[in-house]
Amino acid sequence: MTSLTSHRRRRRHPTAVLPGLIVVGAIVTIVVPLLWMVLIAFQQPRAIIAPGWRFEFSLHNFAEVFNPNTVFGSQVLNSLIIVVAATGLTLVIATFASYSLSQLQWSRRVVLGVLSGAALLQVIPPMTLVPGLYATLTNIGLVNTLGGLILVNTVFNLPFALIMTKFSFDALPVELKESASVDGTSEFGVFRRIMLPLAMPGISAVGIFTAIQVWNEFLFGLVFTSGGRTAPITVGIAALIQPQEIRFGGMAAIGVVTAIPIIILAIAANRQIVSGLVGGAVKG
């Protein structure tokens, strides 16, 4: 009997190991390029292109791209401003709109119409809307401004945020709202004191996803700005690729400054993201 059980365990062993191997392979695929970028960022430029391999620690790449005579410092600041403003504006609008759709007894036709429109905008390639957006921003004087980029990023991230935050409010027990209403609490009071705190994990998860999307956005920054000090850092990174040379050290240095913080944010907020998504997916 013992021999038969051991034989069955040996037969199941490869299948049990396969998921672990897949996870390890995925981690290696993600981590190795990041480590390679960090090594290049702290490498002497001559050592990067030299044959063979030797590590020469240096801060030259950071000093070169972030000195006062370059635009990269301003572009990082631009990206931070755009992320904070667009994410905040998106969450405020999405939170109020999703609460209304979820808790204020709109007709099913209205709710489905809004959600269908939001889902449709998600599948439209942004490039197809660029000409119309450019003409609109030109007419209202927001081309080549941070305000224009904040507005466009808000518009394109709002549908996703609306749908996800609605799921968070849908998962809350209806009895909480009814009980507060019986006690004489106003609708806004119910929203602010009861429903919003309970939905905050899901809203926080949406905020983190939105911030990552805005931080990584490239197309709008390229089209709606003239580059230089008015552009986000994603456009600045692309400018390091020239027909005559590719500044690998500078690209790696900017990559470390721009990629590592958002990775740390995602790791630190991992529990919040998971709890928010699970809470929004399960009806309370």
Side-chain angles (χ1 to χ4, degrees):
M1 184 67 179
T2 303
S3 177
L4 179 59
T5 303
S6 301
H7 179 66
R8 289 178 177 174
R9 287 177 179 174
R10 284 196 297 270
R11 290 184 60 184
R12 290 197 298 266
H13 184 67
T15 304
V17 170
L18 184 59
L21 292 177
I22 294 176
V23 172
V24 172
I27 293 174
V28 170
T29 303
I30 295 172
V31 172
V32 169
L34 291 175
L35 293 178
W36 187 249
M37 177 182 67
V38 173
L39 286 175
I40 293 178
F42 291 98
Q43 182 82 295
Q44 279 283 2
R46 65 173 181 270
I48 295 175
I49 60 176
W53 165 254
R54 64 179 184 277
F55 180 71
E56 299 178 10
F57 180 83
S58 173
L59 296 176
H60 176 272
N61 296 318
F62 293 91
E64 182 182 30
V65 295
F66 290 112
N67 72 73
N69 297 323
T70 65
V71 300
F72 299 109
S74 299
Q75 290 176 343
V76 171
L77 180 60
N78 291 343
S79 290
L80 289 173
I81 294 173
I82 294 170
V83 167
V84 172
T87 303
L89 188 58
T90 298
L91 289 181
V92 169
I93 298 174
T95 300
F96 280 104
S98 60
Y99 177 81
S100 175
L101 293 173
S102 175
Q103 302 293 327
L104 297 190
Q105 306 301 320
W106 288 95
S107 67
R108 183 179 297 271
R109 180 178 299 179
V110 172
V111 175
L112 290 178
V114 173
L115 294 181
S116 299
L120 178 63
L121 187 56
Q122 288 291 100
V123 301
I124 296 177
M127 180 62 74
T128 62
L129 302 178
V130 163
L133 289 172
Y134 189 88
T136 302
L137 292 180
T138 301
N139 290 334
I140 60 179
L142 290 181
V143 170
N144 206 34
T145 65
L146 294 183
L149 293 179
I150 292 170
L151 180 61
V152 173
N153 277 283
T154 300
V155 169
F156 272 86
N157 285 282
L158 186 57
F160 168 80
L162 172 62
I163 294 172
M164 296 304 297
T165 50
K166 183 182 181 301
F167 289 158
S168 296
F169 284 115
D170 287 344
L172 301 180
V174 180
E175 292 78 8
L176 293 174
K177 183 175 182 296
E178 293 175 348
S179 175
S181 299
V182 170
D183 292 339
T185 307
S186 65
E187 190 66 52
F188 183 74
V190 173
F191 166 76
R192 182 173 63 87
R193 298 175 186 174
I194 300 175
M195 309 301 278
L196 182 60
L198 292 175
M200 190 54 67
I203 296 173
S204 300
V206 173
I208 293 169
F209 278 116
T210 302
I212 294 174
Q213 287 291 105
V214 176
W215 182 262
N216 292 329
E217 199 283 318
F218 172 73
L219 175 63
F220 299 143
L222 178 66
V223 175
F224 300 136
T225 69
S226 58
R229 297 187 182 276
T230 63
I233 189 59
T234 49
V235 177
I237 294 175
L240 293 174
I241 304 177
Q242 300 293 334
Q244 294 79 18
E245 67 169 344
I246 299 177
R247 296 167 61 182
F248 293 105
M251 291 178 63
I254 297 176
V256 168
V257 172
T258 57
I260 300 302
I262 206 72
I263 293 172
I264 294 175
L265 172 64
I267 294 174
N270 178 64
R271 181 175 299 178
Q272 192 80 353
I273 293 174
V274 173
S275 63
L277 294 179
V278 172
V282 179
K283 178 70 176 178

